[in-house]
Amino acid sequence: MLAGYFRALCDKPRLPSGMQAQLEHLSEEITRLQRYINNLEGILALPALCSDGQPPQIVGTLLDALLDFLSLDIVYVRLKNQDGAEPVEMARVMRSPESTTHAKLIGQEFRFWLGHDPQQWPRLVRNPLEDGNIAIVPLRLGLQGELGELVAGAQRPDFPRQAESVLLNVAAQHAALALQQARLLSEQKRAADELDQRIAQRTAELAAANEEFKKQLAERREGTAHHEEKDLKRSEARNAAILDSALDCIVTMDHEGRVTEFNPAAERTFGYRRQEVLGRALADIMIPPSLREHHKRGLARYLATGDERVLGKRLELTATRADGTEFPVELAITRISLDGPPSFTGYVRDITERKRSEEDLRRSKAFLAQALHISSTGSFSWRVATNEMTWSEHLHPIFELDPHAPVTLDLIRTRVHPEDLSVVNDIFDAATRDGGDFDYSFRLLLPGRSIKYLHMIAHGTRDEAGRLEYIGAIQDVTERRRAEEALVNARSELARVARITSMGALAASIAHEVNQPLAGILTNANTCLRMLAADPPNVDGARETARRTIRDGNRACDVITRLRTFFVKKSSTTEPVDLNEATREVIALSLSQLQRSGVVLRPELDEELPPVAGDRVQLQQVVLNLLLNAADAMSDIEDHPRQLVIRTERTEDNHVRLTMQDAGVGIASQDVERLFEPFFSTKSGGMGIGLSVSRSIIESHRGRLWAVPNDGPGATFSFSIPSGLSA
Ligand code: ADP
């Protein structure tokens, strides 16, 4: 309509020539647009036209439509065949009705010159049907060209215009849709046909089988009495074999409750011979007296009313043996349907063992629950892949969590002490990664700010599909931890008391040790004064004596400092300790005492001794204790030298060992262990705690302290602790 309007305008002669040309151009444009819209409508209608056609029909419609709408010279389609068969080729050529012949020819020609993939062809090619060239547009049918391809060609030099390209694309897409739908329909039809065919075949087979069956039935009916008798005998033999070999007791009873069959398993279980029980009332044989009436009433009710309370069910009840003992059984009763009054078969199984196992299981479960409760332990399982966690009821109170809240790793993390959070994260990360077992301790910080110490162990297992699952236990060890801390405190307090006691024994020697430098200081100070008072004053001499005064002052200071470390109450520390140096200090402190006791000291210290990690003062306390004990043990010895060897050495197993070998009264071999018991002492003023404290100190250094009698006089006390700088 619009085009007509513009054409009318152009026809008016009075319009200026420029404007007229413009209007003519517009009118042409509008005509083209209208044609384009018409063509588009035609192409959009394609699927409807093709809706229930076969692929060749669809392609035919498509080719006709394109040739007509777009004024093409050639349009060619090659459809791939799903079953691997030859592709279908179709073509339409302007001015020629012999499309099929052309199709093959066009396809061959194109492919011969241009290769198999139309997408690679140049856009201007040799016309396969006439001289000259032809412009082509190749298009894929289906997203990847899985349905085939379409090639449109025209000799016009302006082919394809933009609108034509769009139309060709739309047409190709719609054709692909229609083709796919057609394939789907034919697939469905094929499946339906196949099903119909199978049903027909199966029906025929069934009919044949039915005929055969009818024939056999007729033959059997005609069969002789001889056959029946034989069959009966066979069936009886089979029944007898089943009865004899059955593991369960099989007992049959008639409608009056009398036993009619009693298999060997029943004989073994109930303790009766078959012959004894046949014909007797079953209730009197197998049912405890208290339940007999009940049984008889049940049978009578069934016979009168058909009320089957027990038939076909598994029952658990108590049975009785020939010797009167009662035992649990599982029972299933079935009714034997024959002509005449009913009879019943009972399958009876002795479940004494099972009951016992169940009871054991119940008890061990109860024990376990109790043990978990008492030891404040809870168990858990954790499926790593899905992060599913199952907790035993004991765990919720430990974490102070709502027992109904589903447990997740994130929920657990909210309770973990912030300082231990990284440890816990590492545990779970390592578990997820490696699947190994774990054994860790960490703390909780609970909402009321209280702290709990937990110990967690878990074992990782994998199921058949390789999925990792941990089964583990978490124990609240807060109480134990507190007790251990209290024990450590009590021990270190005891060690301090023991040290003070030893110092008491050293009092005289310490006084001497301090007195000596003090006396030196006094003498030097007096001399110094005198030298300064002389005329002229002896300044050089005074300077020298003042220096000596300072030296003696330092010596006294050293002794006091050494002593102070022994009395200070401080918690144990771990540091690298040179055991030789520590031993030398102890010797220095007790030297006067040893001299007065007439002890000849022979130190054999290994100068290559590696350091040990430990508490220096505590180790010195042990050395001092052994030293004083040795001096005590030799105090009454007169017939041989009171020699004491102190030896340090490194051992083959990377330990450092200190040995104190005296020549004292010695120890009886049966007393060797008693010496280390607290409060064991043979001395009149002894407290008997020195050795027990020394042993606990050495053990806390992961070492060992022991005593052996010497071959000759005296005893040897030794301790060894691991060398190295880590405790
Ligand atoms: P105390 O010295 O107060 O008796 P200890 O625990 O140090 O307490 O020693 C316990 C006992 O071990 C001593 O009373 C003594 O009988 C015995 N004993 C310790 N060292 C020696 C030693 N070198 N030779 C013989 N006996 C010893």
Side-chain angles (χ1 to χ4, degrees):
M1 239 173 87
L2 268 178
Y5 172 73
F6 278 103
R7 219 171 291 122
L9 267 183
C10 298
D11 292 345
K12 302 224 161 161
R14 59 179 186 276
L15 279 175
S17 66
M19 193 184 264
Q20 185 149 359
Q22 234 176 1
L23 281 174
E24 274 168 10
H25 179 69
L26 260 177
S27 138
E28 262 172 41
E29 194 62 34
I30 289 167
T31 315
R32 240 199 339 266
L33 264 175
Q34 269 176 342
R35 202 169 53 237
Y36 174 56
I37 291 169
N38 286 341
N39 291 347
L40 192 62
E41 275 173 359
I43 284 170
L44 289 178
L46 265 179
L49 293 175
C50 307
S51 65
D52 44 24
Q54 289 295 314
Q57 259 170 294
I58 296 170
V59 174
T61 316
L62 171 75
L63 295 178
D64 288 339
L66 287 179
L67 201 72
D68 182 31
F69 292 154
L70 301 181
S71 318
L72 301 173
D73 291 307
I74 292 177
V75 52
Y76 160 83
V77 164
R78 186 168 194 264
L79 271 191
K80 286 187 188 161
N81 212 318
Q82 255 178 332
D83 311 324
E86 274 292 291
V88 176
E89 287 176 294
M90 290 175 79
R92 293 285 187 274
V93 176
M94 195 58 108
R95 301 180 297 273
S96 168
E98 291 168 38
S99 52
T100 328
T101 346
H102 287 317
K104 282 242 177 296
L105 198 80
I106 294 167
Q108 263 171 17
E109 186 79 1
F110 274 148
R111 265 164 233 284
F112 180 78
W113 293 110
L114 306 169
H116 275 275
D117 183 4
Q119 300 300 315
Q120 310 285 339
W121 296 350
R123 294 295 166 256
L124 193 65
V125 301
R126 217 179 73 172
N127 192 335
L129 302 176
E130 297 173 23
D131 288 343
N133 289 337
I134 189 164
I136 55 156
V137 176
L139 290 155
R140 287 187 170 128
L141 293 176
L143 275 182
Q144 305 294 331
E146 65 276 12
L147 298 169
E149 61 248 358
L150 178 147
V151 181
Q155 285 171 319
R156 288 184 269 125
D158 64 344
F159 179 76
R161 284 194 292 261
Q162 202 181 354
E164 286 170 328
S165 289
V166 175
L167 284 175
L168 278 169
N169 267 308
V170 174
Q173 278 170 27
H174 277 78
L177 271 178
L179 285 169
Q180 256 156 353
Q181 202 177 341
R183 278 195 181 172
L184 216 66
L185 278 173
S186 87
E187 193 55 35
Q188 277 173 357
K189 194 167 168 315
R190 200 178 52 75
D193 289 349
E194 204 171 294
L195 196 68
D196 283 349
Q197 217 175 1
R198 281 225 206 114
I199 290 173
Q201 189 186 344
R202 196 83 191 100
T203 314
E205 279 170 15
L206 280 175
N210 198 19
E211 274 311 307
E212 178 65 16
F213 181 65
K214 272 189 194 158
K215 223 164 80 192
Q216 280 181 8
L217 210 63
E219 272 172 21
R220 265 194 214 164
R221 282 214 188 100
E222 285 164 16
T224 57
H226 170 72
H227 264 109
E228 278 181 9
E229 201 177 312
K230 230 174 160 180
D231 282 352
L232 196 64
K233 275 199 180 140
R234 216 181 283 142
S235 137
E236 270 176 4
R238 203 168 42 231
N239 286 348
I242 291 171
L243 280 178
D244 288 355
S245 59
L247 292 174
D248 285 336
C249 312
I250 301 177
V251 180
T252 60
M253 137 189 128
D254 64 14
H255 66 287
E256 288 176 319
R258 283 189 305 258
V259 176
T260 51
E261 190 50 78
F262 202 73
N263 78 339
E267 288 183 325
R268 285 193 297 275
T269 306
F270 287 90
Y272 291 107
R273 310 284 315 144
R274 179 171 178 270
Q275 290 310 323
E276 290 173 64
V277 293
L278 289 186
R280 282 175 62 188
L282 178 132
D284 296 344
I285 302 164
M286 296 166 55
I287 296 176
S290 57
L291 298 171
R292 275 176 204 161
E293 270 316 301
H294 185 69
H295 167 82
K296 285 178 183 163
R297 272 205 307 277
L299 179 62
R301 187 184 53 239
Y302 173 73
L303 293 172
T305 64
D307 173 12
E308 15 178 279
R309 286 191 193 177
V310 297
L311 285 191
K313 296 189 184 115
R314 286 192 171 272
L315 310 166
E316 278 187 19
L317 37 94
T318 308
T320 175
R321 293 195 185 86
D323 62 8
T325 51
E326 294 185 1
F327 65 107
V329 292
E330 190 180 56
L331 166 75
I333 305 173
T334 54
R335 183 180 188 279
I336 304 170
S337 302
L338 287 173
D339 299 340
S343 64
F344 306 88
T345 306
Y347 300 88
V348 186
R349 185 176 294 171
D350 180 354
I351 54 169
T352 313
E353 273 310 311
R354 195 176 85 195
K355 281 274 165 205
R356 194 174 296 143
S357 313
E358 281 172 6
E359 177 58 11
D360 286 351
L361 192 67
R362 197 191 59 71
R363 282 184 49 194
S364 49
K365 265 192 188 159
F367 278 144
L368 182 67
Q370 195 65 11
L372 289 176
H373 177 66
I374 292 170
S375 62
S376 305
T377 305
S379 52
F380 66 90
S381 76
W382 172 37
R383 292 216 172 88
V384 176
T386 54
N387 243 336
E388 270 173 87
M389 281 207 150
T390 316
W391 273 20
S392 77
E393 55 188 303
H394 305 89
L395 272 187
H396 297 274
I398 293 179
F399 281 74
E400 294 185 8
L401 285 172
D402 173 7
H404 305 296
V407 185
T408 59
L409 285 185
D410 287 338
L411 190 62
I412 296 174
R413 286 193 185 102
T414 61
R415 291 288 195 259
V416 173
H417 195 294
E419 287 170 17
D420 291 354
L421 202 55
S422 61
V423 176
V424 171
N425 285 337
D426 287 352
I427 298 173
F428 286 126
D429 287 351
T432 313
R433 208 178 41 240
D434 312 330
D437 295 354
F438 54 84
D439 183 342
Y440 283 100
S441 297
F442 60 92
R443 290 168 298 167
L444 299 185
L445 181 62
L446 295 165
R449 311 295 301 162
S450 63
I451 290 179
K452 272 187 187 170
Y453 292 85
L454 302 189
H455 182 200
M456 169 166 72
I457 53 172
H459 175 61
T461 51
R462 286 187 188 274
D463 64 11
E464 283 163 5
R467 284 179 298 238
L468 180 60
E469 182 177 12
Y470 277 95
I471 307 286
I474 297 180
Q475 187 177 20
D476 178 356
V477 291
T478 314
E479 288 299 313
R480 197 171 81 197
R481 189 64 185 244
R482 301 254 149 84
E484 278 168 6
E485 276 171 11
L487 186 67
V488 169
N489 287 342
R491 279 213 183 115
S492 86
E493 190 58 19
L494 185 64
R496 201 170 71 87
V497 171
R499 236 159 25 225
I500 294 168
T501 321
S502 338
M503 286 299 134
L506 275 184
S509 95
I510 289 163
H512 176 78
E513 194 72 5
V514 183
N515 257 344
Q516 257 188 347
L518 283 180
I521 288 167
L522 282 177
T523 317
N524 287 328
N526 279 330
T527 315
C528 185
L529 282 178
R530 257 203 329 276
M531 285 176 168
L532 288 173
D535 193 17
N538 178 357
V539 177
D540 285 344
R543 196 178 287 126
E544 181 51 36
T545 31
R547 269 201 203 103
R548 263 187 250 145
T549 313
I550 293 171
R551 187 199 61 201
D552 287 344
N554 282 340
R555 257 175 63 195
C557 241
D558 282 351
V559 177
I560 305 283
T561 313
R562 237 178 267 146
L563 266 178
R564 275 200 20 220
T565 59
F566 267 64
F567 286 97
V568 174
K569 178 181 180 177
K570 61 167 190 145
S571 51
S572 78
T573 51
T574 302
E575 57 192 338
V577 180
D578 177 348
L579 203 59
N580 285 346
E581 196 186 301
T583 307
R584 278 193 206 102
E585 276 186 16
V586 173
I587 295 173
L589 210 57
S590 44
L591 204 56
S592 332
Q593 164 77 0
L594 295 174
Q595 277 167 1
R596 252 185 301 144
S597 311
V599 174
V600 183
L601 193 65
R602 224 179 75 203
E604 292 178 7
L605 306 183
D606 174 0
E607 291 310 323
E608 302 286 295
L609 203 66
V612 294
D615 185 316
R616 180 188 180 83
V617 176
Q618 285 191 356
L619 292 174
Q620 284 184 316
Q621 180 178 356
V622 176
V623 178
L624 179 67
N625 193 249
L626 299 181
L627 195 71
L628 295 180
N629 275 350
D632 279 350
M634 295 192 288
S635 61
D636 291 335
I637 301 298
E638 300 295 348
D639 57 344
H640 57 262
R642 299 175 184 176
Q643 181 170 281
L644 176 62
V645 181
I646 302 182
R647 189 178 301 124
T648 57
E649 60 200 318
R650 79 191 296 170
T651 63
E652 279 170 7
D653 56 350
N654 272 340
H655 278 54
V656 166
R657 180 164 63 208
L658 182 140
T659 317
M660 191 93 59
Q661 183 182 353
D662 64 40
V665 290
I667 45 179
S669 26
Q670 68 269 21
D671 282 343
V672 165
E673 274 310 305
R674 290 182 63 206
L675 310 182
F676 295 95
E677 286 171 12
F679 311 117
F680 175 85
S681 176
T682 54
K683 300 171 196 168
S684 57
M687 283 179 61
I689 55 169
L691 284 180
S692 95
V693 166
S694 296
R695 184 172 260 186
S696 74
I697 289 175
I698 294 300
E699 283 174 356
S700 74
H701 284 76
R702 296 185 291 133
R704 214 159 60 80
L705 168 65
W706 70 98
V708 284
N710 289 344
D711 285 345
T716 299
F717 283 74
S718 315
F719 68 78
S720 82
I721 43 182
S723 65
L725 296 179
S726 60

